[in-house]
Amino acid sequence: MHIESERSAKRLVRLKVNGRWREDAVGQNELLVDYLREVARLTGVKTGCDGGECGACTVLIDGEAVPSCMVLAVRCEGRAVETVEGLLSQGRPSRLQQAFHEKLGAQCGFCTPGMIMAAEALLRRNPNPTDGEIRTALSGNLCRCTGYVKIVESVKTAAEMPS
Amino acid sequence: MTALLPQFRLAHPRSVSDAIATSQENAGSRFIAGGTDLIVNARHGLGKSSLLIDLSGIRELAEIRASDHGIRIGSMVSIAALTRDAATSQNYRAVKEAAEAIAGPGHRLMGTVGGNLCLDTRCIYYNQSEWWRRANGFCLKHGGDTCHVAPQGRRCHAAFAGDLAPAFLALRAEVEIAGASGCRRIPVGDLYVEDGSAHLTLAPDELIVAVVLPPNPPPSSYAKVRVRGAIDFPLAGVAVALAAANGVIQSLNIGLTGTNSRPFLLAGTDAIAGRPVDEKVLQQLDRLVQKQVQPMRTTIASAHYRRLAAAALACRLVASLSAAKEA
Amino acid sequence: MTIKLDGKARRQGVPLIDGIDKVTGRARYTADLEHADALVGRILRSPVSHGEIVRLDVSKALALEGVRAVITGDDCPHTYGVLPIAMNEYPLARGRVRYRGEPVAAVAATDLETAEKALGLIELEVRALPAYYTSEDARADGAVLLHENKPGNIEREVHHGFGDVDRGFSEADLVREATITCAEVNHAQIEPHACLADFDPLTGRLTVQSVSQVGYYLHLMLARCLEIDASRIRVVKPFVGGGFGARVEVLNFEIITALLARVAPGKVRMHLTREENFLTHRARPQTDMRLKLGMRRDGRITACELHVVQRGGAYAGYGIVTLLYAGALLQGLYDIPAIKYDGYRVYANLPPCGAMRGHGGVNTRHAFECLLDRMARELLLDPFAVRRANLLHAPTRTLNDLMVNSYGLAECLDKVEAASNWHNRIGKLPRGKGLGMACSHYVSGAAKPIHWTGEPHAVVNVRLDFDGGVTALTGAADIGQGSSTMVAIAVAETLGVSLDRVRVIAGDSAVTPKDNGAYSSRITFMVGNAAIDAARRLRTILCEAAAQKLEVPPEDVDCIGEAFHVGGGGQSSIAFCDVAKAALVNRGPITVTGTFTCPPEAQGGKHRGGAVGSTMGFSYAAQVVEVTVDEATGLVTVDKVWAALDCGHAINPLAVEGQIEGSVWMGMGQALSEETTYADGLPLHASLLEYRVPTAAESPPIEVHIVESNDPNGPFGAKEASEGALAGFPPALVNAVANAIGIDLNALPVTPDRVVEALVERRRGLRLAAARRAAS
Ligand SMILES: Cc1cc2nc3c(=O)[nH]c(=O)nc-3n(C[C@H](O)[C@H](O)[C@H](O)COP(=O)(O)OP(=O)(O)OC[C@H]3O[C@@H](n4cnc5c(N)ncnc54)[C@H](O)[C@@H]3O)c2cc1C
Ligand code: SF4
Ligand code: FES
Ligand code: FES
C-alpha cells in the first residue's frame, strides 16, 4: 500500500472551495482552518479556541457544518468546502447574512461566520426550524455577546424570507 | 497558523485488511476515524504518532445493517448518522439518546462510533497543554511517574467519558474486532479494563469493525449529567435497559460512564429481578450504584457529586422506564 | 439603500453600520490582517508560581536559524499598568516571577515551528518561593510578600463610612448577616488576543494593531516601555471580537510584540492561544463578602455594613479601582441612610485580575440582593415591595456624593412585575420551580478619567468635504457594542441627514482624536454628547450658508430629511449637497470639533477614592428569573428572564436590546456555570470546554423592556445600557432557586454539584434535628 516517503511532508490536494476547484500543496499535518485562512486567505473562518470547543471555525464540508479546526486539510481531497465568504451570490448577501445584519445577530461579529454556516446547514436540511431546533443546531457555536436571543431570531427571520 | 501539530503522515487504506497490514508494518501508527478526539489531543502534544491510518476510505465500516440477528453498526458510522437511523432510534432508544447527547452537532457529524468507543480517558491533569503538563511535572498517564489525583497509588484514574459505551453495555452489544490473526467478537465490556492509562484491551494493530446490537431489545434509555446543555462530556452517564412484565422486573441492565476509567455494567442487578419497581428497589439500586462507581477527582466537579448523580440517574431511568411500560 | 431615521428606525433601531462586514466575513480582526511577511512571536511563560529567576539563558534560542529576536526582562526596565499610581508589573518578568504563566521571555522567528523550538531552547532556572492561592493564605502571618512595599500582601484597604451605621442597626426591626462568596470569572470573549506590530528601522516609526478597547492607553504604554517618542507611534484598532473589560488595560503581550518588532526589526504577529488568554486574565476576582443589613418591618433599609476581600492576583492592575467600586456601588441604587464599607485587595500567586463588565459592582450587588430577599421573606414582605420601600427620588445625591439626575427603577420594577405575572404566580409554582428577582445599576462612564490631562473627557471631529460626505472621527473603540453606529446616529440626527451620508472612522491614532476608550460604559454618554456637539457646530455653519442662499436669518433655517428649509418647511428649501458646496466656498473642507466634559459636581465626593463610582448618570435595571431545579441532579435550568433597563433614552433600540440581552446572559454564565479554578496556580479551566460559557441549548429566552427616564444631561437623554443589567441576574437566580427548593445558596456559581451538596447538607440537618427531637 502506498505511503508517501518520510521527507515529502506536503501533498497535493484538490478540493472545491466556495464553488471553485483548487489544488494546493498542503502539509499532511495541516488543519483545514489554517489552509483556509493562510493559503486560501478566507479569513472569515475564525479560530476561537485550542481545538473543537467554540465553533468559530465552522465551515461546510459537503454541505455539513463542522469545526474546521479538527479537520486535516488533506482529508478534504475531492470534497466541497464552503465558508461564509461563499454565501454571497452575485455580490448580494444571503438570507441568513441579511437577517443576521438586520436583526443584530452579530454584535462583535467574531462568532458570526461560524454561526451563519451552522445555520446555513440547518436551513438547507430543515427550512422551517423551531426555536428548539435552531438552538440545538447552534449549540456547538459559542457567542459571548448576544445571549443567542437575536441569533435565534435572525435564523427564524432568514427562514421566513423569500429565497 | 492556529496550532502546531506534530509531524505525521497519513495512509488511506481501502479495506480492513489493508488497514491492519499498514498498522503492522508501522509501529507507532494509529487509526484515525473522525479525529475529534485524536486531533484535539495531538494539538496538546498527546498521543503522538508518526503515521495516521485514515479509516474513512473503508466503505464497509460506514454501514448500518439491520437483520434478524439484530443491528450491526459499522465503526465508521458517524454519531449523527446513528441518531438519524430509524431502526436504532425505534428499538434501541438508549443508543439514540446517548448519541444525541454527545458533544455538539459538528462533533457528531465528524465523530464516529468506533472513535467514541475508543475515546481516550480524561483528567484535568491530562487534558492540558504541553506547557501546563510540563509545569506540573507531567503524570503517570503521560510522561511522568506520579498521579496528581491519587499520589499514593500506582495507577491512573482518568475517567472514560464516552456516551455510547454504557448504552451498548446495557443492551448487551458486542464488538467485532479485526486483527492480524482474523476477526473476534467480544462483549463490549471486555473491550475495557479499569486502568486510566491503558483502558482498552485492543492490540495496537487491532481495529473495531462494528458493534452488534442483539435483536428484540428491552426498552432502554440514557441520561447524563453535565453542566451545560451541550458540548460537555458526561460527569456521569447512565444507560438502563429494563424488561418488565406486570410491573415486575424481568431483567435489568445498567451501563455507566464518566465515573470510572472504563464504562462498565453494574453488577448485582439480577438480585433485583423478580421484584416490582418500588421505593425499596430504587433505594437498593441507589446503594448498588454508589458502591460500584469509583469517581476520582479527575473533573472540576467533585467526585462525590458524580457518585450521587450516577445513582440518581440510574434510579430515575428505572422508574421512568417502568412507568412508561405500564402506561 | 438610504437609511432614514424616520419614526420606525427610531422605534426599532437600525442595524450596525459595520454589520455587513461582519456577516459576510469581510471584517478583518487583528489575526486576519495581512501577515504573510510578518515574523511569528511566541512567549515563554513561567512554569512556577513564585520564585526568583536565578538564570535565564537565551543564547541557544538566539543561535537557532530563523530566530530573529529573543527578548527578556532586560529588554524593558519599565513597569506598565492601567493606574498611574499602581504600575508594578513588567511586560517580561525581571528578577522574580509571581504567577504561573507570567511572561519571562519572548521570541520572534520566521515561522511558528521555529518560534516554538526556540522557546524550548531557552534555559530558565527559578528558585521557588512559597506561593499563595487564597486570600487567607496570602494574608497569613509570616507569609512571604509578593511585593516588598505591601505588608500583609494587601494591595489596598478601603474603609468608608457614611451616616450613622450603629444607629441604623439599632433602629432596625430585623438585622441579618450573610457570608457570600463569588468565584473568579473570565471575560472569555470569543476572539483570542492578538497583536501585529510593525517597526520600521529606517524611519523609527512603530505601528501597532491590536485588540485594544483603549488605544490611547496602549499608545501611552508603548511610548513608556519602548522609550519611543509618542509621535512616532501609531495605534490602530481593527475589528475587535469582544472585550468586556479584558482589553481596557494594556496587556503584556501587546508590549512584548512591539518590543520584538523593534529588536527584529520588522513586523511581528502574536496570536495567543485560548489557554494564554486565560493566563492573561484581568477579569473579575474571587470575592468573599460579609454583609449585614438592618431593615424595618415595612422593608425600609436602615443600615448596611459590607466587608469585602478580593483575591486580586499577582499584580496591581486595576485592583484599587475594582475595590473602590465594590464599595461605591452599594450606593446609587437605593436610598440607604447609613453605609459602612471595608474592603481588602489581596495579592496572590495567580494571574492578575482586572476589570470585567459591571466592574466592581457585580459581586457586591449579588450579596446585597440575596440578603435583601432573605430578610423580606422573614418579614413576610414581597421582594418587589421591599425594593419599592427603598427607592431614591431624582434628582438627588447619594451619601458618597454621587449624582442621580434620572431614575427609572420604579418603572423597571413595574414592567418586569407585570410581564412575568409575578403576583399571580409567586408562591403558586410547583416544587422545583421558582421565581426570583433583583435590581442593579451601573455608571454611564467614570466621571473622572484615570489620566488627568485637563483635556475634555471626549472629543469627536466631524468633517465635511466637496463630496457632501460627513465623516465623524472618533478614538472610541467599537468592540462590537455598536459605538460607531451610535456616533453615526447622533451626527445624522443632529444634522438632519440620512444615516448613510455619515461615515465613522474610529480608533486610528493617526487620524482620530484621542479617546479615553471603551470602558465603564462611557461612550454613549460622553462620546455621544461630543458627537452631538460637533454636529451642532457643523449645522450652524451649514445653516448660515443655507440662510445666505435663501436670504433669511440663520435662526429661521433647519435641516430635515437632507434638505434645508425655512421655518417649519413648506416654503423654499435647498438640498443638503448644495448647501454643503456653498459652505465650502472660501473656507474649503470643514472640520469641526465637538467636546464633552463632566462638570466638577459629577466627579464624586471629596473623600479618598471618592472619584470611583462618580458618573453623569446611572442606568437602572430590574429582572425576574424563572428556574426549574432538578433536585436529583442539582441541575438548574433557566426557563425565562424578564429584564427591564432604564437607559435614559434608547438612541438605537435594537442595539440597546442586544446589550441588555447580552449582559443578562453574561450574568447567567457567572451565576450558573462559569468559574476559574487552579491547581497550585495552574488553571484547570483554561479552555472553552472547562470554562463553561453557556451554549445556545440551555440559554433562555430573554424578554427585554426598555425604560426611558430621559436623563437631563445625556445625549438625547441617553445613559448606558451595556452593563447595568448584568449584576441583577446572579441574585435573581439564587433567589429563584430559594423559591424553588427552599435553599439559600451562598456561593457562585450555582453548579449542579453545589446544589446537590446543599441538598445533602439540608437532609443531614433535618435528620440530626429529628434525632435530637427523638432523644429529648
Ligand atoms: C469539545 C468536545 C466535546 C466532546 N464531548 C463529548 C461528549 O459529550 N461525549 C462523548 O462521548 N464524546 C465527546 N467528545 C469526544 C468525541 O468528539 C467523540 O467521542 C467522538 O465520537 C470520537 O470519535 P472520532 O471518530 O472523532 O474519534 P477519533 O478522534 O478519530 O479517535 C479516537 C480514538 O479512537 C481510536 N479509533 C477510532 N476508530 C477506531 C476503530 N475503528 N478501531 C480502533 N480504534 C479506533 C483512534 O485511534 C483514537 O485513539 C467531545 C470532543 C470535543 C472536542
Ligand atoms: S488520574 Fe492521575 S495519572 Fe491519570 S491522568 Fe489524572 S493525574 Fe494523570
Ligand atoms: S476554533 Fe474553536 S472549535 Fe474550531
Ligand atoms: S457576536 Fe460577539 S461572539 Fe457572537
Side-chain angles (χ1 to χ4, degrees):
Chain A
M1 108 137 273
H2 173 75
I3 302 169
E4 246 95 338
S5 77
E6 293 277 349
R7 295 224 311 282
S8 73
K10 288 205 174 196
R11 200 191 269 184
L12 265 190
V13 173
R14 205 171 110 83
L15 74 168
K16 204 175 182 179
V17 179
N18 291 335
R20 276 212 203 133
W21 286 100
R22 48 182 299 159
E23 203 166 53
D24 297 285
V26 173
Q28 294 193 52
N29 63 346
E30 190 168 332
L31 295 170
L32 179 61
V33 63
D34 289 329
Y35 168 79
L36 292 171
R37 284 178 55 82
E38 307 291 331
V39 180
R41 283 305 279 154
L42 294 167
T43 52
V45 185
K46 307 295 182 205
T47 58
C49 71
D50 302 344
E53 297 165 352
C54 74
C57 62
T58 302
V59 300
L60 304 191
I61 301 181
D62 292 340
E64 299 199 301
V66 295
S68 58
C69 73
M70 295 194 292
V71 180
L72 294 172
V74 291
R75 293 182 89 191
C76 294
E77 171 70 40
R79 307 181 79 175
V81 176
E82 293 169 78
T83 71
V84 74
E85 287 95 338
L87 293 185
L88 279 176
S89 75
Q90 279 128 35
R92 300 235 326 264
S94 73
R95 288 186 300 167
L96 274 165
Q97 289 174 316
Q98 192 63 35
F100 268 73
H101 174 53
E102 285 171 9
K103 295 287 168 186
L104 199 64
Q107 283 188 24
C108 80
F110 200 79
C111 71
T112 309
M115 205 62 92
I116 287 181
M117 294 320 280
E120 174 74 21
L122 170 70
L123 292 191
R124 284 189 199 172
R125 75 169 185 269
N126 178 359
N128 289 304
T130 62
D131 281 19
E133 286 166 340
I134 295 169
R135 286 183 179 274
T136 304
L138 302 182
S139 62
N141 293 72
L142 298 178
C143 172
R144 195 57 165 159
C145 300
T146 61
Y148 306 105
V149 181
K150 295 210 182 307
I151 287 177
V152 174
E153 231 171 87
S154 300
V155 179
K156 287 211 99 152
T157 305
E160 284 157 15
M161 282 176 169
S163 48
Chain B
M1 185 117 119
T2 304
L4 211 55
L5 280 163
Q7 286 288 343
F8 51 68
R9 292 165 303 128
L10 260 94
H12 305 277
R14 297 276 156 202
S15 69
V16 170
S17 52
D18 233 12
I20 290 166
T22 309
S23 155
Q24 279 193 305
E25 286 156 22
N26 296 275
S29 64
R30 301 186 59 194
F31 299 115
I32 178 165
T36 60
D37 189 45
L38 189 146
I39 294 291
V40 173
N41 281 345
R43 290 180 64 169
H44 281 161
L46 296 167
K48 281 198 184 96
S49 148
S50 56
L51 179 73
L52 296 182
I53 304 170
D54 181 358
L55 300 180
S56 61
I58 308 174
R59 206 162 300 145
E60 55 168 300
L61 294 182
E63 288 170 1
I64 303 183
R65 256 181 290 153
S67 71
D68 296 346
H69 308 293
I71 292 193
R72 190 172 175 280
I73 304 164
S75 62
M76 287 300 288
V77 168
S78 76
I79 307 292
L82 188 60
T83 61
R84 289 187 213 127
D85 183 65
T88 321
S89 303
Q90 230 168 37
N91 301 320
Y92 304 87
R93 281 211 74 82
V95 174
K96 177 190 158 71
E97 287 168 359
E100 281 174 339
I102 291 171
H107 306 86
R108 293 197 287 274
L109 285 162
M110 290 168 66
T112 65
V113 171
N116 194 268
L117 287 176
C118 297
L119 202 62
D120 198 358
T121 53
R122 303 185 61 82
C123 170
I124 40 175
Y125 296 96
Y126 174 70
N127 300 104
Q128 300 288 358
S129 73
E130 177 99 25
W131 170 80
W132 198 106
R133 285 175 290 116
R134 183 183 302 280
N136 202 37
F138 296 106
C139 77
L140 210 89
K141 183 165 160 71
H142 190 93
D145 47 22
T146 43
C147 168
H148 306 292
V149 169
Q152 270 79 39
R154 307 212 140 236
R155 65 161 273 219
C156 163
H157 296 275
F160 180 84
D163 282 301
L164 286 180
F168 288 146
L169 282 166
L171 289 162
R172 296 297 197 172
E174 298 189 324
V175 277
E176 255 180 55
I177 295 166
S181 46
C183 249
R184 60 191 180 109
R185 203 160 136 167
I186 57 169
V188 169
D190 292 354
L191 193 57
Y192 305 99
V193 288
E194 183 65 36
D195 180 350
S197 55
H199 67 298
L200 292 173
T201 56
L202 288 178
D205 56 1
E206 279 187 321
L207 69 83
I208 295 183
V209 174
V211 179
V212 182
L213 284 159
N216 308 318
S220 66
S221 189
Y222 177 79
K224 76 197 257 191
V225 282
R226 55 176 165 188
V227 177
R228 295 183 291 185
I231 303 179
D232 294 349
F233 285 92
L235 293 167
V238 182
V240 173
L242 173 74
N246 307 323
V248 173
I249 299 173
Q250 292 188 310
S251 78
L252 174 61
N253 285 311
I254 297 182
L256 293 134
T257 189
T259 57
N260 291 40
S261 291
R262 61 176 177 132
F264 70 100
L265 202 56
L266 192 72
T269 51
D270 3 337
I272 300 176
R275 293 171 49 191
V277 176
D278 56 14
E279 258 322 292
K280 249 198 171 137
V281 159
L282 291 179
Q283 270 172 19
Q284 194 175 337
L285 182 63
D286 189 278
R287 278 197 300 273
L288 210 56
V289 174
Q290 289 208 43
K291 217 159 153 185
Q292 288 179 41
V293 293
Q294 299 168 337
M296 300 287 283
R297 184 100 209 182
T298 55
T299 58
I300 292 176
S302 76
H304 181 227
Y305 170 72
R306 281 153 67 205
R307 177 186 304 274
L308 296 180
L313 288 182
C315 293
R316 168 175 293 175
L317 289 175
V318 168
S320 72
L321 278 172
S322 71
K325 187 74 195 164
E326 267 144 45
Chain C
M1 186 174 59
T2 346
I3 305 158
K4 286 213 193 77
L5 289 166
D6 54 8
K8 186 163 164 251
R10 284 208 184 87
R11 270 195 317 278
Q12 299 181 351
V14 294
L16 302 183
I17 55 172
D18 52 4
I20 281 291
D21 294 317
K22 294 171 184 171
V23 299
T24 53
R26 204 156 71 178
R28 294 259 165 136
Y29 298 77
T30 304
D32 306 335
L33 300 169
E34 189 52 54
H35 56 241
D37 55 341
L39 299 165
V40 176
R42 293 293 293 146
I43 296 171
L44 181 78
R45 295 173 180 278
S46 169
V48 298
S49 290
H50 198 185
E52 275 157 21
I53 298 177
V54 183
R55 196 170 72 91
L56 182 56
D57 184 349
V58 301
S59 53
K60 288 195 186 118
L62 260 177
L64 186 70
E65 194 186 321
V67 171
R68 296 275 296 278
V70 182
I71 56 171
T72 67
D74 290 344
D75 291 88
C76 180
H78 303 288
T79 56
Y80 75 102
V82 65
L83 304 179
I85 52 161
M87 296 194 212
N88 63 355
E89 188 172 5
Y90 297 100
L92 292 160
R94 285 166 65 84
R96 190 149 163 196
V97 288
R98 294 179 176 84
Y99 66 96
R100 283 177 145 172
E102 181 168 359
V104 170
V107 302
T110 45
D111 56 71
L112 181 58
E113 204 172 343
T114 310
E116 291 283 357
K117 202 180 268 173
L119 289 188
L121 292 173
I122 297 175
E123 291 165 18
L124 169 69
E125 224 175 281
V126 179
R127 183 173 333 109
L129 291 165
Y132 311 105
Y133 308 116
T134 64
S135 302
E136 209 185 340
D137 289 350
R139 292 172 76 182
D141 280 346
V144 172
L145 300 184
L146 271 77
H147 301 275
E148 295 309 331
N149 60 343
K150 294 291 174 184
N153 279 323
I154 289 175
E155 180 195 344
R156 179 71 168 273
E157 287 179 35
V158 173
H159 303 285
H160 283 166
F162 305 95
D164 189 339
V165 177
D166 294 334
R167 207 180 94 194
F169 283 122
S170 70
E171 284 171 3
D173 295 311
L174 183 71
V175 175
R176 285 288 176 263
E177 252 188 63
T179 303
I180 287 178
T181 159
C182 299
E184 185 183 272
V185 289
N186 185 270
H187 321 85
Q189 75 291 338
I190 305 296
E191 179 200 21
H193 291 319
C195 183
L196 186 67
D198 191 357
F199 181 78
D200 180 351
L202 303 179
T203 61
R205 286 183 184 271
L206 173 72
T207 303
V208 175
Q209 308 197 60
S210 190
V211 294
S212 183
Q213 292 178 242
V214 191
Y216 163 58
Y217 289 172
L218 178 55
H219 203 138
L220 288 181
M221 287 304 127
L222 288 170
R224 175 183 165 102
C225 291
L226 276 77
E227 294 177 67
I228 296 181
D229 188 310
S231 68
R232 308 298 195 275
I233 297 173
R234 178 178 177 190
V235 173
V236 184
K237 180 207 74 79
F239 276 88
V240 172
F244 313 113
R247 297 157 169 185
V248 174
E249 286 184 55
V250 175
L251 302 170
N252 47 37
F253 75 90
E254 297 177 295
I255 301 170
I256 291 170
T257 312
L259 284 164
L260 284 170
R262 187 174 57 187
V263 174
K267 198 171 176 182
V268 177
R269 71 186 157 107
M270 180 83 76
H271 300 173
L272 299 196
T273 63
R274 179 53 64 180
E275 179 187 54
E276 288 180 293
N277 271 260
F278 280 107
L279 292 170
T280 307
H281 196 51
R282 316 278 153 171
R284 196 165 353 271
Q286 189 275 333
T287 308
D288 294 315
M289 290 165 290
R290 203 171 63 239
L291 175 70
K292 185 171 158 191
L293 289 178
M295 193 183 276
R296 284 205 323 240
R297 219 175 298 287
D298 58 1
R300 247 327 250 136
I301 299 164
T302 59
C304 164
E305 207 175 282
L306 177 66
H307 182 274
V308 165
V309 179
Q310 296 178 344
R311 185 190 68 190
Y315 292 97
Y318 242 128
I320 296 168
V321 171
T322 316
L323 188 70
L324 285 165
Y325 263 129
L329 291 181
L330 279 169
Q331 317 215 23
L333 181 60
Y334 302 121
D335 178 12
I336 306 174
I339 291 181
K340 181 170 181 296
Y341 172 67
D342 299 288
Y344 301 82
R345 180 85 174 189
V346 182
Y347 283 118
N349 295 104
L350 293 170
C353 296
M356 181 169 162
R357 203 175 197 176
H359 192 180
V362 174
N363 295 349
T364 294
R365 183 53 45 204
H366 175 64
F368 192 98
E369 297 290 309
C370 285
L371 184 56
L372 202 60
D373 244 54
R374 294 172 195 182
M375 293 172 71
R377 220 184 301 145
E378 245 184 279
L379 293 171
L380 303 176
L381 295 169
D382 178 73
F384 277 88
V386 170
R387 270 89 184 174
R388 287 189 179 115
N390 295 288
L391 294 179
L392 290 166
H393 298 280
T396 185
R397 296 188 80 86
T398 61
L399 292 180
N400 58 340
D401 224 5
L402 306 180
M403 201 169 79
V404 177
N405 292 325
S406 59
Y407 184 77
L409 185 61
E411 204 184 324
C412 291
L413 286 165
D414 295 347
K415 285 249 154 87
V416 292
E417 184 183 42
S420 64
N421 199 9
W422 176 272
H423 282 290
N424 292 320
R425 300 180 66 217
I426 189 78
K428 295 174 193 140
L429 298 170
R431 191 183 167 85
K433 284 217 169 263
L435 285 172
M437 61 84 58
C439 298
S440 52
H441 68 325
Y442 202 67
V443 302
S444 307
K448 200 167 204 163
I450 291 170
H451 296 267
W452 182 245
T453 58
E455 294 166 75
H457 293 172
V459 173
V460 171
N461 290 340
V462 173
R463 287 184 52 223
L464 176 71
D465 214 325
F466 73 97
D467 56 358
V470 176
T471 305
L473 300 167
T474 171
D478 193 318
I479 52 173
Q481 83 283 43
S483 64
S484 289
T485 304
M486 182 280 300
V487 169
I489 295 173
V491 170
E493 283 263 296
T494 310
L495 282 177
V497 298
S498 82
L499 188 59
D500 48 1
R501 179 173 297 282
V502 182
R503 174 188 286 135
V504 177
I505 294 185
D508 179 347
S509 69
V511 287
T512 58
K514 166 200 143 182
D515 190 73
N516 284 332
Y519 65 88
S520 74
S521 280
R522 59 174 286 283
I523 293 186
T524 292
F525 209 107
M526 299 194 195
V527 179
N529 268 323
I532 291 173
D533 184 42
R536 279 201 187 121
R537 286 169 200 270
L538 180 59
R539 191 179 61 186
T540 305
I541 295 171
L542 291 170
C543 283
E544 270 164 16
Q548 235 173 32
K549 289 201 113 183
L550 293 164
E551 298 175 335
V552 292
E555 310 83 79
D556 292 358
V557 180
D558 201 3
C559 184
I560 305 161
E562 297 246 310
F564 287 79
H565 309 270
V566 179
Q571 305 150 36
S572 30
S573 74
I574 322 177
F576 180 86
C577 284
D578 296 330
V579 175
K581 284 205 181 82
L584 262 54
V585 173
N586 293 331
R587 179 201 298 264
I590 302 167
T591 300
V592 293
T593 297
T595 65
F596 178 75
T597 300
C598 301
E601 65 268 25
Q603 296 187 9
K606 298 285 169 281
H607 54 283
R608 191 173 178 222
V612 174
S614 71
T615 182
M616 291 299 294
F618 292 97
S619 70
Y620 291 97
Q623 60 195 294
V624 172
V625 171
E626 182 175 344
V627 298
T628 304
V629 184
D630 179 339
E631 291 191 53
T633 62
L635 201 71
V636 177
T637 309
V638 179
D639 302 315
K640 173 124 197 202
V641 186
W642 296 266
L645 179 122
D646 163 26
C647 65
H649 166 83
I651 295 177
N652 187 2
L654 185 66
V656 168
E657 276 177 26
Q659 287 303 314
I660 297 172
E661 289 159 3
S663 56
V664 163
W665 171 90
M666 197 174 261
M668 181 182 92
Q670 176 172 2
L672 277 182
S673 53
E674 295 176 26
E675 100 187 85
T676 64
T677 47
Y678 300 86
D680 294 338
L682 279 172
L684 292 174
H685 58 267
S687 65
L688 292 177
L689 181 61
E690 297 298 346
Y691 189 80
R692 300 199 160 93
V693 169
T695 77
E698 76 276 13
S699 297
I702 302 168
E703 186 180 307
V704 168
H705 298 264
I706 296 174
V707 168
E708 303 191 304
S709 63
N710 267 309
D711 190 86
N713 302 310
F716 310 116
K719 302 185 286 191
E720 85 89 32
S722 310
E723 307 194 62
L726 192 156
F729 189 98
L733 177 111
V734 167
N735 294 339
V737 170
N739 184 241
I741 60 170
I743 287 186
D744 288 314
L745 294 163
N746 288 318
L748 288 187
V750 181
T751 47
D753 49 338
R754 287 191 176 92
V755 173
V756 165
E757 293 297 343
L759 285 161
V760 167
E761 197 53 44
R762 176 168 70 182
R763 277 197 291 274
R764 193 176 298 142
L766 289 176
R767 265 203 311 275
L768 269 176
R772 257 190 237 115
R773 266 199 309 278
S776 67

